[in-house]
Amino acid sequence: MEVRDLHPWPDTRAEAEAIQDGLRPLLDLDSPGPVRPRTVAGLDVSYAGDGDGTGARLAAAAVVLDAATLRVVEESVAVGTAAFPYIPGLFAFRELPTLVEALRGLRTVPDLLVCDGFGVAHPRRFGLACHVGVLTGLPAIGVGKTAFVGEHATPGPRRGDASPLTDDGEVVGRVLRTQDDVKPVFVSVGHRTGLDDACRIVLELAPDYRLPETTRRADRLSRDALRS
């Protein structure tokens, strides 16, 4: 699949922040996105060891699922090294070069990208899901395991219960309970998708476990690639 080269990979914090600022106006946060996607791709990255520092070995995986059956349609994995230091808010730059390689290995163009991370629930309103969405032009959402920015009330204990995630008075996502009495996930829009649809799709992708199957399958593939 096509991934556009919209910028060089940065070497410094200032360069990385300038790229985020330059790409943010390209975000489409008004389009409704695919209400019933046929195919959904999960994106995840695993690190060897503790993953600290520039040059840490990593594997990036893209797994395309049939949205109705959750069966694997296609998968692609690439192994590389962390391309940028660990700096909060700029974490995407560590993973994107290898993740782009994995995406380019797909023949299938999915209807939706589901990132293990954040979209606009980000200090600069430009997390990994936003970045991947702009580079590919595809609808994208982020599903984070823990909070990164903002405040929220604890959602109810049942599957589907949710509460707004707000930052500086702005709703940047939703805290969503995907299974009864388990920790919620943090859903945010990345590109060309609405928050209501994003949360509904995440629930459909998580029939049995806390995390959506897209994330679970991509996580497994990336870990296997590192072991091999």
Side-chain angles (χ1 to χ4, degrees), residues 21 34 37 53 82 91 102 126 130 133 140 154 198 220:
D21 290 342
F91 196 75
F126 200 81
C130 300
T154 301
R220 188 180 310 157

Side-chain angles (χ1 to χ4, degrees), residues 138-219:
L138 297 176
I141 64 174
V143 183
K145 301 181 186 72
T146 58
F148 181 33
V149 298
E151 301 175 345
H152 64 89
T154 301
R158 301 303 179 193
R159 171 179 165 87
D161 288 344
S163 61
L165 177 65
T166 61
D167 187 44
D168 291 333
E170 178 184 358
V171 175
V172 295
R174 195 169 295 165
V175 186
L176 178 67
R177 192 87 65 181
T178 54
Q179 301 295 328
D180 290 354
D181 299 314
V182 301
K183 292 180 180 179
V185 296
F186 297 79
V187 181
S188 55
V189 170
H191 186 55
R192 296 180 54 201
T193 309
L195 186 56
D196 288 342
D197 284 335
C199 290
R200 178 183 51 76
I201 291 169
V202 168
L203 287 173
E204 292 172 354
L205 294 173
D208 301 311
Y209 298 97
R210 177 190 178 221
L211 297 178
E213 285 300 305
T214 40
T215 299
R216 286 167 43 81
R217 302 291 180 90
D219 174 74

Side-chain angles (χ1 to χ4, degrees), residues 84-147:
F84 196 78
Y86 178 80
I87 300 175
L90 301 176
F91 196 75
F93 291 101
R94 291 174 61 79
E95 305 181 345
L96 272 170
T98 309
L99 189 56
V100 164
E101 184 180 348
L103 285 167
R104 286 176 171 157
L106 291 175
R107 297 182 303 274
T108 306
V109 179
D111 295 326
L112 177 70
L113 303 175
V114 180
C115 300
D116 177 30
F118 301 93
V120 296
H122 179 273
R124 305 178 72 82
R125 302 296 185 262
F126 200 81
L128 176 63
C130 300
H131 208 140
V132 170
V134 168
L135 292 182
T136 61
L138 297 176
I141 64 174
V143 183
K145 301 181 186 72
T146 58

Side-chain angles (χ1 to χ4, degrees), residues 1-15:
M1 62 173 284
E2 181 182 358
V3 183
R4 297 176 291 179
D5 291 314
L6 296 181
H7 59 80
W9 298 116
D11 295 318
T12 67
R13 177 174 192 149
E15 290 173 353

